[in-house]
Amino acid sequence: PAAAEKVLRVIPHADLKNIDPIWTTAYITRNHGYMVYDTLFAMDANLKPQPQMVDTWSVSDDQLTWTFKLRDGLKWHDGAPVTAADCVASLNRWGKRDGMGQALMNVMDSLSAADDKTIVMKLKQPYGLVLESIGKISSNVPFMMPKRFAETDPFEQVTDMIGSGPFKFSKDEWVPGSKVVYLKNEDYVPRSEPPSYAAGGKVVKVDRVEWVYFPDQTTAMNALINNEVDYFEQPANDLAPILANSPGIVVEVNDPVGNMGFARFNHLLPPFDNVKVRRAAMAAMKQEDYLLAAVGLPEYFSTCYSVFPCGTPLESTAGSEIVKSAGVEEGKKLLAESGYDGTPVVIMQPTDIPVLSAFSLVTAEKLRKIGMKVDMQAMDWSTLTSRRAKRDPVKDGGWNIFHTWWIGADVLNPMAIAYSGDPAKGWFGWPSDADLERARTAFPLAKNVAEQKVLATKVQDRLYAIGSHGNLGAFFTPVAYRDNVKGLIKSPVQFFWNISVE
Amino acid sequence: MFSFIAKRIVATIPVMGVVALFVFLMLRLSPGDPASVIAGDYATAADIERIREQLGLSDPIVVQFGNWIWQLMRADLGISIFSNLPVTTLIAQRLEPTLMLSLTTLTFSVLVAVPLGALAAWKAGTWIDRAVMIFAVAGFSLPVFVLGYALIYEFSLALQWLPVQGYKSPFDGLLPFLRHIILPTVTLSVIFIALFARITRASVLEVLEEDYIRTARAKGQTERKVLLGHALRNAAVPIVTVIGLGIALLIGGVVVTESVYNIPGLGRLVVDAILKRDYPIIQGLILMFSFVYILVNLMIDIVYTLIDPRIRY
Amino acid sequence: MDQTTQPVLDIRGLTVRLPIRADRENAIEDVSFSVLPHEILCVVGESGSGKSVTAHTVMGLLPPKQLTATAGQVLLQGDDLLKKTPGEMRALRGARMSMIFQEPMTALNPLMSIGDQIEEILQIHTEMSARERLARVIEVMEAVKLPEPERLVHSYPHQLSGGQRQRVMIAGALALEPALLIADEPTTALDVTTQAQILKLIKDIQRTHGTAVLFITHDFGVVAEIADRVVVMQHGLVVEQGEAKAVLRNPQHPYTRMLISAVPSMTPPARPPKADAPVVLETQDLCKTYRDRSLFRAARETRAAHNVELSVRRGETLGIVGESGSGKSTVARCIVRLISPTSGQILIDGHDIAGLSASRLRENRRLVQIVFQDPYRSLNPRRSVGASIVEGPMNFGVGKAEAQTRARDLMKLVDLDPNSLDRFPHQFSGGQRQRICIARALAMEPDVLIADEAVSALDVSVQAQVLELLDDVRKRFNLAILFITHDLRVAAQICDRIAVMYKGEIVERGPAAEVFRAPSHEYTQALFNAAPGRDFEFGSFATA
Amino acid sequence: MSAIADRDANRSGLRERLAEFRRNVLSRHPTMAIGGVLLILMILGAVFAPLLFTVDPIALNPIQRLRGPGAAQWFGTDMFGRDIYSRTIYGTRISLFVGLAAAVLSIAIGLVIGLLAGYVRLLDTILMRVMDGLMAIPGILLAIALVSLSGASLVTVTVAITIPEIPRVVRLVRAIVLSVREEPYVEAAVAAGTRLPLILIRHILPNTIPPLIVQATYVCASAMLTESILGFLGAGTPPEIPSWGNIMAEGRTYFQIAPWIIFFPGALLALTVLAVNVLGDGLRDTLDPRIAKKM
Ligand SMILES: Nc1ncnc2c1ncn2[C@@H]1O[C@H](COP(=O)(O)OP(=O)(O)OP(=O)(O)O)[C@@H](O)[C@H]1O
Ligand SMILES: Nc1ncnc2c1ncn2[C@@H]1O[C@H](COP(=O)(O)OP(=O)(O)OP(=O)(O)O)[C@@H](O)[C@H]1O
Ligand SMILES: [Mg+2]
Ligand SMILES: [Mg+2]
């Protein structure tokens, strides 16, 4: 081989536990998906879908028939050419798991391969988010895989990692919980456009990318300082200054959109079955306090009162007074009006996730301040994820509030499941609001951007009005790397093409 | 002897049965399950139910236990829910670092602790004795991770002598292996040195009271040889026993040390699995650890026969 | 001075100080005596009189810092041992003086082969080659009459009997033909028959090699058997010394007189037969087989008692004698039902209790009581002796006040202060504790009292008192006593009838006088022949 | 007259015993005295935490986050601006509680099981198999699993730490029972018709107390350490309740930025564990010379 193999040693933000990006929504698996797989469309820095595997595409005048033609030279890692049939199967599998995928499938009449390279999609009605859906940047990303894998039950994992992406997965070297190795896919033909978010040419500039997961932040930081790794994907914000002050290390924020803190009420159980109580709580949730406690350094957070990420097209101020300018006093007043009867609020605190643990602590304090009773219950994230699915009363294992965050790219528009107003299908917490749901379902059918904007504003207004959730502000996670690493792509998702080690 | 070993191995079955039942019930009767973790943030309750079914978690507990035992009988530990790899593969991948760390730790601790303990016993009541014992008690009092961080800070960052983290196989070169394993070994050893030094001191002290020590002295034997030739060997049985019991402790210590030094070993595998509810891994590993523990103690019983001619099975 | 009369060991004015806060200031004080070549000097005296301390001082084996010689000289062939450095002492130990100890079971390193342990001494002190050493080892092993020395060198101590182990010790001690051999109660832990052999061995060796022997014992039988001269110690002082015969026949010091008077005679006194008294205890075909049922081992069976038939009448003492392991305790424990017999019957007042269930058994517990050998472990150290005594009666419904009164009476009976009932066992001496145990047994008002080696752990003088007490209570309460002992002298004194046990079976029985006069079974004969000093009749002296 | 003499004798007995205690225990084991005093101070600190110039240990104050030790916050503040001094002092409560509760519980449960196993032949085999099984599962793993599976709370943490300690206590008790039941004085009690429960309580149980007290100190020390390790592994006491373990666990990311977060609770933990261990060693030497040699 060449004189020196170029290796990029990465500390990923999480351990890659499973490798099927359709089966799981874990961000680390999504990132892994981007290494191994390719997508038909991909989102660029303007949040616009751009063709990636697709060469040309067209849409009929009635907006019902979409035709996509694949690029030349697309090959699976096993050498077989990528066919339209593969892509049809892949889209079908994705459509069974992903929220936006399901929405798209609902309006779909048929999806078929006209020939080896042509995919034809027929819709039942015009739908505004076709490309936004299949060019989705975050989980679940509609990655393309060979038909034989794409036919796997979507609730079962695929057994092998054959994609057409810029890297090959080195399965023998995979040590779950510790190490993942990707090798450069020599056969990959990048597009000619410059990279922009997920779109553009995926030019691989190293021979090998190694993800070595570190369960301990301090050790991870020390490893980077000691030049034992090149790239630290998500150092704790507080470690950033030490890293930045170490010679040879660059610290910067790579994701311009950031993450949105989210406090979710359970709308089914008292006291949060009362909109006034929810709004009283929201009033007390001063973003600065959350961000300061959970994030710490001001350079890594900013307040954002829009439910759609600030700086993205649908950003709005509609109905945001409750989170923006209210306060503890206002909260007290609202609570007094609500007739709150002293029912204790069960806060689920995931102790293994520091940011969420901190959010929980702040919420507890805020709620106490406005006069609520709080029952803080510590647990790990796994317990939380299964408990939050329970609609039962608190005494039977139910809950009242938990915290999470969404990466901005996941909540760009009202289609995000987080904003659902239909308790039957909606996300944990199960808010119920017909107006909200009407606006949401209308959104993909919107004729143009202006119309979309109106609907999105409506959605936001309703979300705040019904006290869907607490909006805890935006925060940004820095990346840290040795200064010989060059060519990072600014994006809400971590990509490893275009990066070189000098 | 062989029939003894055979019988002892048979005797492990009920013990392993207890372990299996205990672990199984502990996992199944507790809140939280892998389905919801897998389902992730975007899932709805229906999705989770779907996954539960897929994983066989909706079956009655008895059926699940039966299936698992049947699997075990075929020497199959099952498939990791998350990574979809056989648990045996996962264990095999991570066995070496843990094994090596355990071996270096045991070796190092024994090499340091036994002479230290014997010395303390020999010099019982002097300042040497006191110093050793104070060290021993102190060794029991320090949280492992604090010690780990402190050592990294000093030897890796400040002095730049040793790497911060990671593991290198000795089969790829002894020097890198040693450089990587030194700090974890020292960190993990402290508590064992304390433990072994104590027991060595105590049992040597006890042996020194024995009549045959007086006999050896009556023969005109030198103190050094009395200590090394007569006392230490006779003190070996309790020391070896404690080393055996130390295995259980070792596994606990390994979990923390592996995290601090980022060593891809079994300890981290099992903790990760617990936090993610990867049942097959948890079950398989705890069962394996227990089995190792029992096996080591069986080996120790056999070692007894080497040390002590009175012990025959 | 003539070479033959210069003492091998000459102790002059030796004083050894005890650590502060001990019960007396000096372990031994102003001790002077000497051991001549070709001589066996016996040091006798009660427990704690300083015999071992003297011996250890000679060997330089006193525990450092705890005991120190503060005055006097210890001359070994003219060299003062107290002036030697530790290194010089090491060179002497094993070479010019050797020592053997009481417990052959523990005095050998269990992990080292016999050969290696004897060889060690050659390794330390000589330049012999390995082959020469082995040859010498075999030679000395032959000299102490160990069977098959070539095979035995590779054996480990646990594979040898007690007597053989003591021979190994002696072989080691004699390997370098030392001038002085110190034997600290070398036969106390052995059976009489074995003891006789070892004593003979020591005497033979001493004769053939001319070794001077300092022999420590508390057994006057042994003294009578082997001593040339005797030193009597009491409370760390030498109170009397002289030719063995002279001291034994005509002791001068009151202490010596008391000691010798306390030695029981081998001739049973005349005792009226009790043929007409009712039988209270009877066993028929009593068998006990211990099954060591372990998961990992083939079941090991020990037939500890086999077809034991015995009967005791009211007011009668039946003695069971026999060597260690012959099954005496097993029989006793079966009768008390601490263990269940494998088969056979145990009739107490005619009722069989051999197979009773736990609850039925409890009702019968009152009838049979037992006194054990070890006075230090027979009383719960955490309970006052009063509590121990009243426990039994109160189990059977006696009121507290009444039980207390009974306890006080019993304390008087066993010659103890009734006011000391609320004291704890550690505040009593060994003999006193044994009295308390007897009182505890009597508190139950039993029909049968079993004494399992009840006086074996006591000094002769104390032993005599306890024996007297037992005989007294037998008479007073018309008790049936089953008296278990390995000491023929004791048996002779207290028993009406004797049963001799051998390997789990009773091989001979009969009135004590008859058995002692004309033992019929060959084992009994061997046993009697082995009793040390059997031909010596110890006198009874006025001690005042 | 004699009653007075008796009482005098008793009183002098007591005085003597006190003097002896001073002589034997305090002068021969000065470290034990130091350990005891330290522990008493800790307990007092825990009980009177609110009076010791502390502030609310869970009050968040993000503005003041990560301040070093100083006049305002003696031990500095953590990443949420909480006062480390107050948290550490209050943490004493939890750590001591966990330690003491684990010690008391494991000893109590182990004692009962051990007595039964040692004296009731039938139960012995079954109980000991179960104990062997429990013993074979690495304690820390068992504890992590129990805590993370059943939810972090003070109770679950304590239970999870206690359970792995039980088999050791059982074995200890059983071994003592097996040897004590052969003691002549126990046999004498049997021969005197004493019922089993009384035999266990009067004659056997007291023998287990001294070694158990010693064992309890070791359990207590190791429980406090285990609590901190559980915290480190993310399965400790809930963060709302400050304990030395979770203060350190939460602060570990800040080891190089704000070492005081770990340092103060760590030092206090080490000191306390040391004190308990030293106390245990001293107790062992005085209460149970036989075991003293064996340990
Ligand atoms: N290491 C020691 N520390 C304190 N006192 C001791 C020590 N060794 C012996 N003594 C005391 O010295 C005295 C003499 O003890 P020694 O062992 O010589 O008695 P003995 O005559 O051999 O008795 P026995 O027949 O019981 O063996 C006793 O009072 C004993 O308590
Ligand atoms: N609990 C037991 N289990 C197995 N074997 C035993 C047990 N107790 C005694 N034995 C064996 O039974 C035989 C008789 O023992 P026993 O104690 O009755 O002898 P003894 O005549 O009282 O001896 P000693 O004079 O030494 O007290 C011995 O071989 C002994 O090893
Ligand atoms: Mg002695
Ligand atoms: Mg006996």
Side-chain angles (χ1 to χ4, degrees), chain A residues 399-479:
Chain A
W399 55 276
N400 294 121
I401 191 167
F402 73 88
H403 302 79
T404 186
W405 77 78
W406 300 94
I407 69 158
D410 278 336
V411 286
L412 287 173
N413 62 45
M415 297 313 292
I417 188 169
Y419 301 145
S420 160
D422 174 1
K425 292 194 204 137
W427 201 60
F428 316 109
W430 311 284
S432 167
D433 188 62
D435 285 352
L436 169 63
E437 204 49 20
R438 218 171 294 124
R440 256 186 103 229
T441 36
F443 181 81
L445 311 177
K447 306 257 175 349
N448 52 43
V449 176
E451 207 171 303
Q452 280 184 348
K453 182 109 185 151
V454 172
L455 286 166
T457 307
K458 172 82 180 160
V459 166
Q460 169 161 338
D461 193 46
R462 284 311 299 161
L463 283 172
Y464 280 135
I466 65 167
S468 149
H469 61 270
N471 183 344
L472 309 180
F475 59 96
F476 304 86
T477 33
V479 297

Side-chain angles (χ1 to χ4, degrees), chain C residues 106-124:
Chain C
T106 55
L108 290 172
N109 185 340
L111 308 189
M112 237 176 164
S113 73
I114 302 301
D116 287 350
Q117 299 198 46
I118 302 177
E119 192 188 344
E120 190 180 15
I121 206 163
L122 302 173
Q123 243 170 357
I124 299 167

Side-chain angles (χ1 to χ4, degrees), chain A residues 105 108 118 156 214-215 218 249 304 312 327-328 376-377 411 453-454 476 500:
Chain A
M105 290 298 158
M108 200 173 302
T118 314
E156 247 173 76
F214 279 57
T218 305
I249 292 179
C304 171
T312 62
V328 169
M376 192 74 148
Q377 298 193 0
V411 286
K453 182 109 185 151
V454 172
F476 304 86
S500 62

Side-chain angles (χ1 to χ4, degrees), chain C residues 15 20 42 55 73 112 115 122-123 137 140 171 242 262 269-270 293 300 333 349 373 398 427 483 497 508 528 530 539:
Chain C
T15 299
I20 27 173
C42 276
Q73 289 176 306
M112 237 176 164
L122 302 173
Q123 243 170 357
V137 167
V140 292
R293 214 179 307 130
R300 211 176 344 191
R333 294 160 62 79
D349 296 328
Q373 168 170 9
V398 176
Q427 294 166 301
F483 191 91
R497 288 188 301 119
E508 177 163 2
F528 280 53

Side-chain angles (χ1 to χ4, degrees), chain B residues 12-25:
Chain B
T12 61
I13 291 174
V15 179
M16 295 305 294
V18 169
V19 174
L21 186 67
F22 193 87
V23 170
F24 186 85
L25 289 182

